[in-house]
Amino acid sequence: MTDPTDPTIASEVTESTTPADTAATGGPSSSAEEVTPRPRPRPGPKPGPRPGPHPRPSELPLVPTPVPHGDPHQFGRIDADGVVWLKAPSGEREIGSWQAGSVEDGLAHFARKFDDLATEVEILEERLAARSGDPRKAQAAAQHLLDALPTAAVLGDVAALEERLNLIVGSADEVADSIKSERDRLRTEAIARKELLAAEAEEIGADSTQWKAAGDRLRAILDEWKTIKGVDRKTDDALWKRYAKARDAFNRRRGAHFAELDRERAGAKARKEELIARAEELSGSTDWGPTSGKFRELLAEWKAAGRAPRDADDALWQRFKAAQDVFFSARNAATSERDSEFAANATAKVALLDAAEKTINPSSDLDAARREFRAFRDKWDEIGKVPREQMSGLEGRARALEKRIRDAEDAQWQRTDPEAQARAAQFADRAAQIEDQARKAEERGKAKDAAKLRDQAAQWKEWADAAASAIADR
């Protein structure tokens, strides 16, 4: 279909290259004889487009209603001389001639030409209603059709077509302004969003040390950035430079961080190699106690040295641990003969615990419980060491027994807390003072003041009772 926005369309609407059209406009007839021209009425002045109020874009239907040509007899006629007349609101006007066939064929031909013209108008309406393309091109095409409408060789409701063309011409400017306003709004929103993204990238580039999370966020910002359209080139370039500069700053800081980390790990590797050498020297020692302490010191230094490069750190630890294992395996072998002694100690401690857990009862007699626990602890220490695998469980039971005594001591202290008791006494004293003031006011005949003072005294007494109750509930 021909583009209705082409200004040449209006001039082409009234022309036809078919043989029937040629005959209808006074060209050679399809009959064998030449048609003799006959006098025709002189047409009057051609009416121009009728002025009307400028329509608003909202007045355009979203889906334009087609303009049917209707019954061609209603809108025109062909006289006996073949002259085609259009019935317009301003009167009849000649639009052409028909010599190629019957009157009905002629009327149908000019009605079809009206349908073609109406189709062009509908296309312009659809484009304007859909806000596609340039509204001012649609306006120009509509104006061209409107200018040619007074001389158009068509039969149909030309007045309705003229009204619709006027609506297009009158509303196109406002549609164009509306489209421009919407584009400006979208552009403003796009700029605002990119400014926020650029500012976030700048903050990351300047401050963030969460290298992985920040790097992922910068990539997410870039992905979102690519989806934001409608920003003018100059503004977009300026915002992009801000983002790119922030990303480069972050990458430089991250590179410097990991370069420094590599240097630190290289230093940690050298330090750990020194610790391994010292551990290997100690691994043959039979001075079990002091050497065990030195190995603990070496382990603390190892942890403080930091991580070596990933590919070397595990191997270094295996070497250090192997030196430890040599020493501690020898120590364990040398002390294996003490296992029976430790087992007997464990049996004695279990029996001591069983008896203490039954007899020590701080809830009934705290002082006696303290004495019994001190005696228990002395015997516990005298028994000596137990096998390593039993040590944690036995010490846990002893600590639990000690905790029962501490909890009882804490509860007793809370019940006898001098500060809480002083507060309760202070509230009671204050209540008594106010009651005395109320009594004196009553004696002076100030019953109203006395009533207020008694209310205050009741409040202070209530606070005193609450404080006392809190102490008792501890």
Side-chain angles (χ1 to χ4, degrees):
M1 182 178 291
T2 307
D3 185 355
T5 61
D6 188 344
T8 61
I9 240 174
S11 59
E12 293 172 359
V13 170
T14 57
E15 299 175 2
S16 175
T17 56
T18 63
D21 290 346
T22 304
T25 55
S29 172
S30 58
S31 65
E33 297 180 0
E34 184 178 354
V35 178
T36 304
R38 301 181 182 180
R40 298 173 184 169
R42 181 181 300 276
K46 301 188 183 298
R50 290 175 294 177
H54 291 293
R56 299 178 60 82
S58 58
E59 295 174 1
L60 285 173
L62 292 179
V63 181
T65 305
V67 181
H69 64 259
D71 182 4
H73 293 279
Q74 179 183 355
F75 298 103
R77 62 184 179 85
I78 300 177
D79 62 18
D81 297 328
V83 178
V84 184
W85 298 88
L86 172 68
K87 298 177 181 178
S90 59
E92 289 188 340
R93 62 180 175 87
E94 179 185 353
I95 60 170
S97 64
W98 177 257
Q99 306 294 334
S102 67
V103 169
E104 293 302 323
D105 291 342
L107 292 174
H109 167 76
F110 285 98
R112 284 194 300 273
K113 296 185 74 173
F114 175 83
D115 288 345
D116 293 341
L117 182 58
T119 298
E120 302 296 343
V121 174
E122 290 164 17
I123 291 173
L124 293 177
E125 288 175 330
E126 288 173 356
R127 291 187 178 180
L128 203 60
R131 305 164 73 88
S132 61
D134 185 352
R136 289 192 170 84
K137 288 185 178 180
Q139 182 186 48
Q143 185 62 55
H144 195 79
L145 292 175
L146 192 60
D147 293 341
L149 195 60
T151 59
V154 296
L155 286 180
D157 193 350
V158 175
L161 210 58
E162 179 183 0
E163 182 178 351
R164 295 176 78 153
L165 285 169
N166 277 321
L167 186 62
I168 295 172
V169 171
S171 61
D173 286 338
E174 192 168 349
V175 172
D177 292 341
S178 175
I179 292 175
K180 181 179 181 300
S181 176
E182 178 66 13
R183 287 175 179 170
D184 289 344
R185 183 185 66 80
L186 294 175
R187 173 180 174 275
T188 300
E189 291 178 355
I191 290 174
R193 182 56 186 159
K194 284 197 171 183
E195 285 178 342
L196 287 176
L197 293 176
E200 183 182 356
E202 288 169 340
E203 183 176 354
I204 292 173
D207 300 325
S208 179
T209 56
Q210 301 296 321
W211 307 115
K212 185 179 186 308
D216 291 343
R217 179 54 189 156
L218 284 175
R219 284 189 290 274
I221 289 175
L222 178 60
D223 292 340
E224 183 180 353
W225 191 285
K226 293 176 181 178
T227 65
I228 301 173
K229 308 297 182 183
V231 181
D232 62 278
R233 183 66 175 272
K234 180 179 179 181
T235 304
D236 198 51
D237 287 346
L239 291 172
W240 171 253
K241 287 178 181 178
R242 287 176 58 189
Y243 168 80
K245 183 178 179 181
R247 183 179 59 180
D248 291 345
F250 172 78
N251 289 336
R252 283 194 301 271
R253 289 195 306 107
R254 180 172 59 179
H257 166 77
F258 284 106
E260 179 62 25
L261 194 60
D262 288 342
R263 287 191 292 271
E264 291 176 357
R265 287 177 175 175
K269 180 182 179 183
R271 177 61 178 153
K272 287 184 174 182
E273 287 174 343
E274 293 176 1
L275 295 174
I276 290 170
R278 289 167 55 188
E280 289 172 345
E281 291 176 359
L282 293 171
S283 63
S285 173
T286 57
D287 194 3
W288 310 121
T291 304
S292 296
K294 291 178 180 179
F295 267 108
R296 285 192 293 271
E297 293 172 0
L298 288 178
L299 182 60
E301 292 182 45
W302 182 277
K303 293 178 179 178
R307 291 188 61 84
R310 183 176 301 177
D311 56 350
D313 202 55
D314 290 343
L316 290 170
W317 169 250
Q318 293 302 323
R319 289 175 57 194
F320 181 78
K321 186 175 182 297
Q324 283 184 311
D325 290 345
V326 169
F327 169 78
F328 287 107
S329 295
R331 188 194 68 172
N332 292 339
T335 57
S336 60
E337 67 272 11
R338 291 160 43 188
D339 287 349
S340 57
E341 178 187 349
F342 287 177
N345 292 344
T347 301
K349 285 192 173 183
V350 168
L352 183 63
L353 275 169
D354 290 343
E357 288 171 347
K358 292 178 181 178
T359 58
I360 296 176
N361 186 5
S363 60
S364 60
D365 190 342
L366 181 58
D367 292 336
R370 289 196 190 101
R371 290 192 300 271
E372 292 172 0
F373 182 77
R374 283 195 295 271
F376 161 82
R377 179 55 72 180
D378 290 340
K379 292 179 182 179
W380 181 273
D381 293 338
E382 288 175 3
I383 291 173
K385 296 182 180 179
V386 298
R388 185 183 301 272
E389 63 273 13
Q390 292 180 268
M391 186 182 302
S392 177
L394 293 173
E395 288 292 342
R397 289 176 63 183
R399 286 194 297 270
L401 185 59
E402 185 179 11
K403 185 176 183 299
R404 286 168 55 191
I405 297 174
R406 286 201 307 268
D407 291 344
E409 290 173 339
D410 291 342
Q412 183 184 47
W413 182 88
Q414 289 180 354
R415 287 193 299 271
T416 59
D417 182 1
E419 292 185 2
Q421 291 179 347
R423 281 195 298 273
Q426 183 181 13
F427 292 159
D429 290 345
R430 182 60 177 160
Q433 290 175 4
I434 297 176
E435 285 177 352
D436 186 56
Q437 292 174 7
R439 181 182 56 77
K440 293 177 180 180
E442 185 73 33
E443 292 174 355
R444 292 194 299 269
K446 297 181 178 181
K448 188 174 182 181
D449 292 343
K452 291 182 179 179
L453 288 169
R454 288 193 186 93
D455 290 341
Q456 293 178 18
Q459 181 65 62
W460 280 99
K461 189 175 185 305
E462 183 179 344
W463 290 340
D465 292 342
S469 176
I471 293 172
D473 291 341
R474 290 181 176 180

